[in-house]
Each structure stands twice: as structure tokens, then as C-alpha cells.
Amino acid sequence: MMTNASPFKSRITAIGTYVPSRVITNTDMEKLVDTSNEWILQRTGIHERRMAREDEFTSDLAIAAIHDMITNYGKDVRDVDMILVATSTPDYPFPSVASQIQAHFQVEQAGAMDLSATCAGFTYALHTANALISSGLHHKVLVVGAETLTKVTDYTDRTTCILFGDGAGAVLVEQDSTAPGFLSTYLGSKGDGGIHVYRSGLSTHMDGRELSGNGRMVQNGREVYKWAVTTVPKGMQEVVSRAGKTLEDVDWFIPHSANLRMIESICEKSQFPLEKTLYSLTHYGNTSAATIPLSLALGIKEGKVKAGDTILMYGFGGGLVHGGLLFTWNP
């Protein structure tokens, strides 16, 4: 929960995004698995998604998003003192994507680390950035959500392969005690639900159960759906109440763009208007940690999001983890 005890405050001052040029339509998916454009649209709301080239990785997408931010907002990242990257698909187990970004932009004085909170990664990274600045330890933090999920997608599984795409979003979080942007946060987890969406690694068992997928994503969509539509509406209420506000005070809601049917159910249960909800899945699919910044950037580009708007972000995904954040958009 936010407090006013610290003299240090922060706000988001810039945003940039990038998606690969290759478009994978629902018609393309029909050629890969037993599915149809109508079936995909009815169940997910996704029309198309982007796929990285074989030689294009998460660090490449992240760096491109940062360059987009620099170009559009005239920002300099060489003076940031921390780089946080939310991703589940780093180029390597190590070095981190954050370290690769640090090297590319030659940010000599910055700490660098990747953060693993799957589809809630961007909200977790923003929460961490604000905490670092509020503590007085840091002044300018570069936050990135980036994924190349198509590289770990099982294209023989018709229920999951239609969902995922690649993309990246980057924001700057800077110290600003005169016009702070962050109002409240709320994080939560349900670790015993981890078996419902996972990607095997060094261990091939979880809670005594043998894992499948051979390093590709495995998801029990029904269980994840049930958990999300129950958990997120409650979390939304908690976030706004911590700021002394209600959902009626929220101008825009940006949930993780997992599935349009899931978003519709969350809005219905929370009684939040779908027309005031931003999502990026229609043309980009589920890009995990990148969906929320992609959605925000689209809202800005389309003239929906304006300076002074109050925005509620909410991420949720594998872990199972979730996290919401309320802030004022005032770049």
C-alpha cells in the first residue's frame, strides 16, 4: 500500500513499443492446426499476432521499444540508474536481457536485472521501480516488458498456440515529488496453482507430478480462466480502495490481454465498463509481460488516454501471480 511517509515520489514520463514485422493471421493458423478464424475469434477475440524472426530475440524487441520511446519523447536513457526487464523468454538464462540493454545503450552506472512474474511482470516491475525511487535509492528507472513467446509455443496444441505473440513495451519512471503519478498498488499470489500454466526447465516435476511440454508452454486454460475472473475483480477493488478511490474514479482499465472473453467476464464481475477498457490482443495476441504497455501505447495513439487520466493496470498469470497498480498518466 502507498503511503505519504517518503519525500520521494515518482511518475511515468515516457513510453515506447515495438512488435515484429511478421504478421500471423488466423487464416495462417488454420494451416498449422485444426482450427478456424471463426473459432479463434469466438473464443479469444484475436485476429492476428506478431512473430519474431528466427534471429530476433527478446533483447532485440526490448531495445527497439526503448529506441521508439527515445524518438517519440526525446528522452535520454544513459543516465538511468536501474534497468528492470519483465520477461519469461530471455535470450539466455544469463546474462539477463537487462544487462544486454545496459550494454547496448552504454549505461555505465545502472544496475540491471530481469524480473520473472509472467503476465503480471510489467505491473510487478513498475511496482518495484516506484519502490526503488520512493526509498530514495534510485532516481530514474527504465522498465521494460518484452517477450518472444512464439519461440516457446507448442504449435501442435490448438488450444494454446492461437493465443501467443511477440512484442515489447518500455517506460521511464523518474523521481518527481511535485507531480507524482503512482497512487496505489496491490500484489498477490497463489503458488499452488502453478501447475495450471508452466514451462518445464531444469526440473521436470512439480508437486510430485511429471511435467509435459518439453520446454514449451503448457496451460490448463479452464483453470486459469476460473482463477483470473474470480481474483482480478477483487484485486481491482483493493487497488482503488487503497488509494481512497472507487472504480468510478478510473478513466481507463488496462488488464493483461490474455483473452477477450476473460476481459469481458472480469469487467462484468467488477461492473467496470468494457468501453473504458484497453487491450492489445486484437492484433498482437497474448504477449504476456508486454500486453499492458502495448495496450497503453495504443490508447495514447488512438487519442483515448489523455494527460491527467487515472489508469488502473492489472496483470495476472503463471505462478499464479497477480498485481494491480493505479496511477495518473502525466508524461
Side-chain angles (χ1 to χ4, degrees):
M1 180 175 178
M2 301 293 181
T3 69
N4 295 318
S6 171
F8 304 106
K9 307 294 180 183
S10 68
R11 66 183 173 94
I12 299 171
T13 61
I15 184 171
T17 59
Y18 174 79
V19 291
S21 58
R22 184 181 177 187
V23 177
I24 306 298
T25 66
N26 289 346
T27 302
D28 295 325
M29 296 303 300
E30 292 176 352
K31 301 170 185 176
L32 292 175
V33 290
D34 180 19
T35 191
S36 69
N37 177 56
E38 293 75 16
W39 191 90
I40 296 171
L41 285 177
Q42 181 182 358
R43 286 163 177 77
T44 71
I46 297 171
H47 288 255
E48 59 190 31
R49 68 288 291 151
R50 299 297 182 97
M51 176 181 281
R53 302 186 311 269
E54 286 190 11
D55 63 345
E56 191 175 34
F57 297 92
T58 297
S59 65
D60 299 309
L61 274 57
I63 288 168
I66 296 166
H67 278 297
D68 179 64
M69 179 186 71
I70 292 169
T71 299
N72 290 329
Y73 287 83
K75 289 289 186 177
D76 189 352
V77 300
R78 289 171 297 179
D79 60 342
V80 304
D81 49 18
M82 177 62 78
I83 302 168
L84 300 174
V85 177
T87 186
S88 300
T89 52
D91 303 22
Y92 325 102
F94 52 87
S96 66
V97 174
S99 292
Q100 293 171 269
I101 291 171
Q102 184 272 334
H104 178 87
F105 290 99
Q106 298 182 331
V107 190
E108 298 298 333
Q109 72 291 334
M113 64 179 177
D114 288 357
L115 186 154
S116 178
T118 58
C119 303
F122 191 72
T123 53
Y124 270 59
L126 279 179
H127 171 80
T128 303
N130 179 57
L132 291 172
I133 292 176
S134 297
S135 70
L137 295 175
H138 292 268
H139 297 83
K140 189 174 181 180
V141 181
L142 177 61
V143 175
V144 182
E147 303 284 8
T148 47
L149 292 176
T150 63
K151 295 183 184 296
V152 295
T153 294
D154 180 359
Y155 284 98
T156 66
D157 182 355
R158 65 191 292 265
T159 63
T160 61
C161 71
I162 60 172
L163 298 172
F164 300 111
D166 304 328
V171 298
L172 272 180
V173 180
E174 299 188 59
Q175 186 180 103
D176 188 338
S177 297
T178 60
F182 291 90
L183 303 175
S184 63
T185 60
Y186 170 65
L187 307 180
S189 58
K190 181 178 170 56
D192 58 5
I195 193 68
H196 297 315
V197 52
Y198 65 83
R199 181 159 68 93
S200 62
L202 295 179
S203 176
T204 58
H205 290 75
M206 185 185 303
D207 299 329
R209 299 168 65 175
E210 186 174 358
L211 303 180
S212 59
N214 193 28
R216 303 289 179 179
M217 284 189 292
V218 176
Q219 177 174 268
N220 182 332
R222 185 181 299 274
E223 290 299 323
V224 174
Y225 184 98
K226 286 165 53 180
W227 167 75
V229 300
T230 301
T231 302
V232 176
K234 294 177 182 177
M236 293 166 64
Q237 293 287 351
E238 182 65 25
V239 175
V240 294
S241 66
R242 288 186 176 197
K245 297 181 180 296
T246 69
L247 288 176
E248 293 181 352
D249 297 313
V250 175
D251 294 301
W252 297 102
F253 173 43
I254 309 180
H256 162 51
S257 281
N259 180 311
L260 185 54
R261 305 303 159 238
M262 187 181 292
I263 292 173
E264 289 171 342
S265 183
I266 289 170
C267 286
E268 181 181 357
K269 287 181 179 295
S270 63
Q271 297 185 324
F272 191 89
L274 185 63
E275 59 269 22
K276 292 173 61 178
T277 302
L278 304 176
Y279 46 87
S280 53
L281 58 83
T282 305
H283 297 293
Y284 301 146
N286 180 342
T287 54
S288 189
T291 69
I292 288 178
L294 287 173
S295 300
L296 174 59
L298 285 172
I300 296 167
K301 183 179 180 180
E302 294 168 359
K304 296 178 178 179
V305 176
K306 296 178 174 60
D309 282 353
T310 299
I311 299 173
L312 172 60
M313 294 179 172
Y314 214 102
F316 51 90
L320 299 167
V321 296
H322 61 100
L325 188 147
L326 190 71
F327 71 101
T328 303
W329 172 248
N330 189 21

